[in-house]
Amino acid sequence: MNIIYNGADITDLCEVDASNVSEVDGGGADSLAVKLYKSSAWLEGKSPMHEDEIALREGDYTSGVMYVDTVSPDHTGTLVKARSFPAKATDTKYDSYNMVSLRQLAAKAAEEIGLTVSVIGIEGRAPYTRVLRKNEGWLALLNRYATGEGAALKCSNGKLNIVGYEWAQNRPAVESILITPKTPGIKVIDSASRLRSLQVHTAKGKAGAKDLLAPGGASKTMYDLPVCNFEQAARWAKWYLFAHNRMALQIEIQRELNTRAEALQRVDLAGELEGEWIIHRVTHDFKNRTTRMVLVECIDSILPSPV
């Protein structure tokens, strides 16, 4: 493994005791943590700083550039933690934006934060009449709007990505995994109950959505979403219901290290738990040579519902 710090390879200046890299498919940051031993040669004459750039590389794999969040030296070594966006992405402010699309909003955010931007799979969305930023950072604002449009907000390797979940679910599976009662490293997590329906009620628009595969579930009404009209209310009812229900059942799989596994890839399970799934979170542990994936179900059972 090679450690690249502010563009320089520091691998020969220290020893790596433990390192892991995590990706998540939306709402959070990719991150890394690396514990360095015998790091005095690297630290000599240097003062590692918040926002320094770091990346891990092994063979064809790279974590992508991340931004140092904390550097914690102690008698055993130096623990470096980093995340995939600069701190200014969370700087809060009040602002407003008129007649702007999510793509334009993301481009403005990326320019201010210092990232590039990519928007995939949410074409054809109408611009918002008005977007209010209420003492919040760019990531919080964009995550709220991306969720309403059925998309993941993901920062990685210097790029702010907004990726439509429908687009991700319709991609070919990167692999098929057979699950049997004897398959090791499998954990089923029931984190929440699927909702039967969700309604959006605002002064400017009301709409609802229902999940055909959750007839016995509860209903939820949201009153505080920044909806401009009925069309937006209908989209946001559907995709906020989707966002809740996709997390209801999660499958955790721990396997040998596989750095090709990435968040937002589709994986098909065969045997027990058969179906189509999306990698929600993946963590590569380079010390123990394992990859832990958390999968969530692909959902296409949500339809409009009258209010």
Side-chain angles (χ1 to χ4, degrees):
M1 168 176 290
N2 292 78
I3 304 170
I4 312 302
Y5 199 95
N6 283 341
D9 191 330
I10 66 168
T11 309
D12 294 337
L13 301 179
C14 49
E15 294 182 8
V16 179
D17 175 67
S19 58
N20 60 68
V21 178
S22 294
E23 289 185 47
V24 65
D25 75 356
D30 293 353
S31 61
L32 68 78
V34 58
K35 185 65 178 285
L36 305 175
Y37 279 78
K38 300 181 179 179
S39 55
S40 57
W42 167 53
L43 293 172
E44 186 177 358
K46 299 181 180 66
S47 179
M49 300 289 289
H50 184 67
E51 296 285 273
D52 283 354
E53 295 183 359
I54 186 172
L56 304 185
R57 296 177 184 168
E58 182 174 287
D60 294 334
Y61 171 81
T62 176
S63 65
V65 171
M66 298 201 194
Y67 303 89
V68 171
D69 191 33
T70 60
V71 179
S72 305
D74 61 24
H75 68 283
T76 64
T78 303
L79 177 63
V80 179
K81 293 184 178 181
R83 55 189 181 179
S84 59
F85 56 79
K88 65 176 66 176
T90 59
D91 289 348
T92 60
K93 67 181 291 188
Y94 291 92
D95 210 336
S96 63
Y97 315 93
N98 297 323
M99 294 305 298
V100 62
S101 67
L102 180 54
R103 180 185 295 273
Q104 292 168 325
L105 205 60
K108 183 173 181 60
E111 181 180 10
E112 289 189 13
I113 296 168
L115 304 175
T116 59
V117 66
S118 172
V119 181
I120 301 173
I122 58 165
E123 292 75 15
R125 306 294 204 272
Y128 309 111
T129 306
R130 187 171 176 81
V131 172
L132 294 178
R133 184 173 172 186
K134 300 180 179 180
N135 195 30
E136 58 192 336
W138 271 119
L139 292 189
L141 178 66
L142 288 174
N143 189 58
R144 184 166 69 252
Y145 277 79
T147 301
E149 300 296 351
L153 172 64
K154 183 174 178 359
C155 293
S156 59
N157 199 25
K159 181 177 288 187
L160 193 159
N161 302 280
I162 294 180
V163 181
Y165 282 117
E166 197 167 41
W167 177 87
Q169 290 186 166
N170 289 333
R171 288 194 297 174
V174 295
E175 67 173 322
S176 180
I177 304 172
L178 176 63
I179 304 296
T180 72
K182 296 183 179 180
T183 303
I186 306 295
K187 182 179 180 181
V188 179
I189 306 169
D190 289 307
S191 62
S193 298
R194 283 176 80 146
L195 294 173
R196 178 180 75 253
S197 63
L198 185 145
Q199 295 186 355
V200 172
H201 281 207
T202 74
K204 295 184 178 180
K206 296 180 181 180
K210 60 183 178 182
D211 188 340
L212 298 179
L213 297 184
S219 295
K220 180 179 180 178
T221 301
M222 302 184 73
Y223 297 96
D224 58 350
L225 293 177
V227 166
C228 300
N229 52 47
F230 168 78
E231 288 77 12
Q232 185 189 347
R235 293 197 311 272
W236 284 37
K238 172 184 177 178
W239 290 114
Y240 266 87
L241 179 58
F242 172 92
H244 179 278
N245 284 2
R246 72 186 293 265
M247 301 302 296
L249 178 64
Q250 303 174 30
I251 308 298
E252 183 178 294
I253 301 177
Q254 182 164 301
R255 312 165 72 196
E256 292 183 358
L257 184 68
N258 174 20
T259 55
R260 294 186 302 276
E262 300 176 0
L264 280 175
Q265 288 177 335
R266 205 187 95 200
V267 173
D268 291 348
L269 300 185
E272 294 194 359
L273 308 172
E274 180 175 352
E276 298 176 352
W277 301 76
I278 289 286
I279 300 178
H280 168 60
R281 182 184 296 274
V282 60
T283 300
H284 304 302
D285 182 337
F286 290 91
K287 179 180 181 180
N288 296 304
R289 311 302 292 175
T290 61
T291 291
R292 186 175 69 254
M293 302 186 298
V294 176
L295 310 181
V296 295
E297 285 186 282
C298 292
I299 294 179
D300 61 2
S301 55
I302 297 177
L303 298 175
S305 177
V307 296

